Amino acid sequence: MRTKITELLNIKYPVIQGGMAWVAEAYLAAAVTNAGGLGLIAGGSAPADTIRREIRKARELAGNKPFGVNIMLMSPFAEDLAELVVEEKVPVVTTGAGSPGVYMERWKTAGIKVIPVVPAVALAKRMERLGADALIAEGCEAGGHIGELTTMALVPQVADSVDIPVIAAGGIADGRGLAASLMLGAHGVQCGTVFLTANECIIHETYKEMVLKAKDSGTMVTGRKSGHPIRSLKSSFTRRYAELEASGEMTQEELDALGSGALRKAATEGDRENGSFMAGQIAGMISECRPVNEILEGMINEAQVLLN
Ligand code: TUI
């Protein structure tokens, strides 16, 4: 299946793996890359040395096949990671949770392919003007930090407003989602939630169980009031967080710190009480753990049949 995205990134399938903080490390990224997609290492809120080790590990596991690093722009280490990807000659960088404008020229000069996540048309146009190679249009069905628009409404509007290729994200976990995205004007997809239950994903078993058990309405959004909306699986933590938020007892910084610490507790400890188990609305459709290559090949084969 060749599209502008497989051409741009030199990959077999137009599927990239989301840069999920505390989840997307070298082993998962290399598995996705080795299966023909584009694996990503998440910078999250980790310091540069941690991510340098992951980059080198992924290179060992994936040879010279391409992979990327996601830089979460709200990270206190975003500037360090921006420099790190240049030093380590990472071929592809995706960004999230902000505008990467200040880093764009540096990355383009270094020959890095830059693919910002955009939640709206205005930012999409701005990123194209600054030299982005492609865009990820992520709808609010996605897990983690989200914008306002749904994938169905966002993708065709972004596709109409730019000339660079668009990757659809949010609510996509099978061949139907891939085929539909191509119909909406995208040239590829980014998936996160479906990779949470991949055999090669290193998160705690409890996290995987929670995704497998989730129903269609098993996620909720916290942080809307503060301007940092985050989608995660409903849990005692999300309910408590929502109450704290509504009460106005905590500052935004305190709430953000609570949120990012909680993601680590979910991914590494499977802490049901204090963890924030970020996942997208498509979690309700995910009912088994599978190896990454089966996930990818199943998705491609199903999409081919539908598109034919
Ligand atoms: O970034 C994500 N998903 C994430 S980041 C994250 S970690 C986090 N922890 C605490 C608070 C906030 C984040 C968990 N999940 N997805 C990509 C994404 N980017 N979704 C939405 C956006 C976005 C939002 C606003 C991108 C740009 C943007 O621009 C605002 C501006 O500056 O114009």
Side-chain angles (χ1 to χ4, degrees), residues 57-109:
K57 226 187 289 174
R59 279 229 161 86
E60 252 177 64
L61 294 167
N64 56 8
K65 289 198 277 306
F67 67 96
V69 169
N70 172 264
I71 300 185
M72 204 278 280
L73 295 163
M74 281 168 55
S75 162
F77 301 107
E79 167 62 41
D80 295 354
L81 294 185
E83 199 50 45
L84 173 71
V85 293
V86 174
E87 280 168 29
E88 292 288 324
K89 301 189 165 48
V90 171
V92 183
V93 167
T94 68
T95 62
S99 165
V102 291
Y103 306 120
M104 209 65 141
E105 206 180 308
R106 205 189 314 173
W107 290 339
K108 293 310 304 165
T109 307

Side-chain angles (χ1 to χ4, degrees), residues 5 23 26 86 91 116 146 150-151 175 193 201 236 242 257 275 278 281 304:
I5 287 299
V23 175
V86 174
I146 51 172
T150 60
T151 304
T193 304
C201 180
S236 52
M278 295 184 190
Q281 289 183 324
Q304 295 279 25

Side-chain angles (χ1 to χ4, degrees), residues 72 74 96-99 117 119 123 126 138 143-147 230 260 278:
M72 204 278 280
M74 281 168 55
S99 165
V117 171
L123 191 62
R126 190 142 53 91
E138 187 186 89
H145 183 60
I146 51 172
I230 299 269
S260 59
M278 295 184 190

Side-chain angles (χ1 to χ4, degrees), residues 6-296:
T6 60
E7 299 291 315
L8 174 73
L9 302 176
N10 198 20
I11 53 179
K12 190 168 167 203
Y13 301 137
V15 180
I16 77 177
Q17 164 239 319
M20 302 165 282
W22 290 105
V23 175
E25 45 59 82
Y27 194 59
L28 179 63
V32 174
T33 285
N34 283 329
L38 185 82
L40 287 184
I41 292 164
S45 303
D49 275 347
T50 305
I51 302 307
R52 194 190 301 276
R53 279 197 297 276
E54 293 302 319
I55 291 170
R56 293 187 178 175
K57 226 187 289 174
R59 279 229 161 86
E60 252 177 64
L61 294 167
N64 56 8
K65 289 198 277 306
F67 67 96
V69 169
N70 172 264
I71 300 185
M72 204 278 280
L73 295 163
M74 281 168 55
S75 162
F77 301 107
E79 167 62 41
D80 295 354
L81 294 185
E83 199 50 45
L84 173 71
V85 293
V86 174
E87 280 168 29
E88 292 288 324
K89 301 189 165 48
V90 171
V92 183
V93 167
T94 68
T95 62
S99 165
V102 291
Y103 306 120
M104 209 65 141
E105 206 180 308
R106 205 189 314 173
W107 290 339
K108 293 310 304 165
T109 307
I112 295 174
K113 303 230 161 63
V114 185
I115 313 184
V117 171
V118 295
V121 165
L123 191 62
K125 287 183 174 165
R126 190 142 53 91
M127 292 299 108
E128 180 181 46
R129 275 201 304 275
L130 289 176
D133 294 278
L135 297 168
I136 300 166
E138 187 186 89
C140 59
E141 297 93 322
H145 183 60
I146 51 172
E148 284 291 330
L149 297 168
T150 60
T151 304
M152 182 71 95
L154 177 67
V155 171
Q157 295 189 76
V158 170
D160 282 349
S161 70
V162 296
D163 291 321
I164 51 178
V166 173
I167 297 165
I172 302 160
D174 66 5
R176 293 173 296 181
L178 170 56
S181 298
L182 299 179
M183 294 297 100
L184 291 175
H187 303 91
V189 294
Q190 173 181 275
C191 303
T193 304
V194 71
F195 290 118
L196 288 173
T197 59
N199 294 354
E200 293 90 341
C201 180
I202 47 76
I203 56 171
H204 198 278
E205 279 305 311
T206 298
Y207 201 155
K208 294 191 178 188
E209 272 167 37
M210 287 173 70
V211 173
L212 295 175
K213 280 208 183 119
K215 299 210 164 50
D216 54 353
S217 50
T219 68
M220 67 183 277
V221 179
T222 51
R224 278 204 199 280
K225 214 170 74 182
S226 69
H228 299 151
I230 299 269
R231 181 179 302 285
S232 32
L233 296 172
K234 286 176 185 165
S235 69
S236 52
F237 173 80
T238 53
R239 279 183 268 266
R240 207 164 68 238
Y241 188 98
E243 279 163 25
L244 272 172
E245 203 182 5
S247 76
E249 278 168 40
M250 280 171 113
T251 65
Q252 190 49 50
E253 285 70 32
E254 287 170 328
L255 282 167
D256 283 349
L258 186 62
S260 59
L263 177 56
R264 183 189 62 74
K265 287 184 188 137
T268 66
E269 295 162 24
D271 183 341
R272 286 178 192 268
E273 292 306 308
N274 306 301
S276 167
F277 296 82
M278 295 184 190
Q281 289 183 324
I282 206 69
M285 202 172 76
I286 293 161
S287 55
E288 57 180 350
C289 291
R290 288 183 293 164
V292 161
N293 67 335
E294 273 182 31
I295 296 173
L296 274 177

